[in-house]
């Protein structure tokens, strides 16, 4: 008797969560927005005189909004894998949210503005202390500006040779997508591979 089992069974879809972190104005929201296949969910608020008093806007004079909770986006990598992106707020006064935002993440991207390296130190320190979350560093080019070599930046931020540092343009979909692919490649190459959610 012929089997009634369908040969059209679809593969199960897996999902993974990653975190986009970094300093104030480094390009986190722009990265999420450039690659998300859905309109990104953002918690951008207009910067007030009070926030400008706390946040250094000297390198980003045109910045008029800032993330106050998180950014969220989604990217389907193939028919079996969906990536959910959670962008953290960059200001110190919102860091209390980070533990909740990174829970369950398989990896993180620390977005760095090479013009303001000190702004990324706290994010790097966070992931260095939480070594169960692998991270890579993504240098946002900002119109091609780069005063330092990758190795000079590696030395300045004090990360080992095992942490990938790549250059990209957060406004460009392909460039941002290459950052996310690099992160997944890096996390899967580690001895303890991340567990994807079914």
């Amino acid at each position: 008797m012929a089997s009634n089992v369908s040969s059209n069974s679809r593969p199960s879809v897996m999902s993974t969560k990653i975190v986009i972190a970094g300093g104030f104005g480094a390009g986190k929201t722009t990265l999420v927005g450039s690659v998300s296949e859905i309109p990104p969910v953002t918690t951008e608020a207009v910067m007030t005189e009070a926030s400008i008093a706390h946040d250094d806007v000297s390198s980003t004079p045109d910045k008029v909004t800032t993330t106050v909770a998180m950014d969220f986006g989604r990217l389907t990598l193939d028919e079996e894998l969906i990536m959910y992106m959670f962008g953290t707020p960059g200001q110190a006064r919102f860091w209390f949210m980070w533990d909740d935002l990174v829970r369950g993440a398989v990896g993180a991207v620390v977005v760095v503005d090479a013009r303001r390296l000190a702004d990324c130190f706290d994010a790097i320190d966070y992931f260095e202390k939480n070594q169960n979350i692998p991270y890579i560093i993504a240098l946002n080019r900002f119109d091609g500006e780069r005063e330092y070599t990758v190795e000079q930046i590696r030395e300045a931020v004090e990360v080992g040779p095992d942490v990938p540092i790549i250059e990209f343009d957060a406004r460009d979909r392909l460039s941002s997508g290459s950052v996310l692919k690099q992160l997944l490649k890096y996390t899967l190459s580690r001895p303890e591979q991340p567990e994807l959610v079914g």
Side-chain angles (χ1 to χ4, degrees):
M1 191 168 186
S3 171
N4 290 326
V5 177
S6 171
S7 61
N8 295 327
S9 60
R10 296 180 58 163
S12 60
V13 177
M14 306 293 281
S15 62
T16 186
K17 173 184 178 181
I18 66 160
V19 172
I20 312 296
F24 170 76
K28 303 178 296 296
T29 299
T30 303
L31 187 160
V32 173
S34 72
V35 295
S36 180
E37 65 195 15
I38 61 171
V41 177
T42 64
T43 56
E44 292 282 289
V46 175
M47 294 184 66
T48 63
E49 290 297 324
S51 65
I52 291 174
H54 290 283
D55 304 319
D56 180 8
V57 295
S58 58
S59 295
T60 55
D62 298 328
K63 187 172 177 62
V64 295
T65 63
T66 186
T67 301
V68 295
M70 69 169 189
D71 299 315
F72 173 79
R74 184 186 75 198
L75 179 62
T76 301
L77 298 176
D78 58 39
E79 62 180 12
E80 298 181 27
L81 182 60
I82 297 174
M83 174 185 290
Y84 294 102
M85 299 168 283
F86 290 79
T88 66
Q91 303 95 317
R93 62 185 180 278
F94 297 125
W95 288 343
F96 66 90
M97 299 182 214
W98 279 38
D99 287 340
D100 289 329
L101 285 176
V102 304
R103 188 172 293 120
V106 299
V109 175
V110 176
V111 181
V112 173
D113 179 351
R115 301 168 301 180
R116 298 177 292 133
L117 285 180
D119 291 356
C120 73
F121 291 168
D122 291 311
I124 291 172
D125 286 345
Y126 181 90
F127 293 110
E128 284 288 322
K129 291 173 183 173
N130 294 278
Q131 293 187 1
N132 57 324
I133 303 175
Y135 72 96
I136 66 172
I137 293 175
L139 298 174
N140 198 358
R141 284 199 296 261
F142 289 101
D143 297 321
E145 292 184 18
R146 183 167 69 90
E147 297 180 17
Y148 309 101
T149 67
V150 168
E151 287 312 309
Q152 286 173 323
I153 289 174
R154 181 182 299 283
E155 184 177 344
V157 299
E158 298 182 345
V159 296
D162 57 312
V163 177
I165 299 180
I166 57 177
E167 294 180 271
F168 84 116
D169 184 335
R171 299 163 300 182
D172 183 82
R173 180 179 176 84
L174 291 178
S175 187
S176 293
S178 69
V179 169
L180 303 181
K181 289 177 185 175
Q182 180 70 29
L183 174 64
L184 286 182
K185 182 178 177 182
Y186 177 59
T187 58
L188 292 171
S189 71
R190 290 164 57 89
E192 292 185 10
Q193 295 186 6
E195 183 177 330
L196 303 181
V197 178

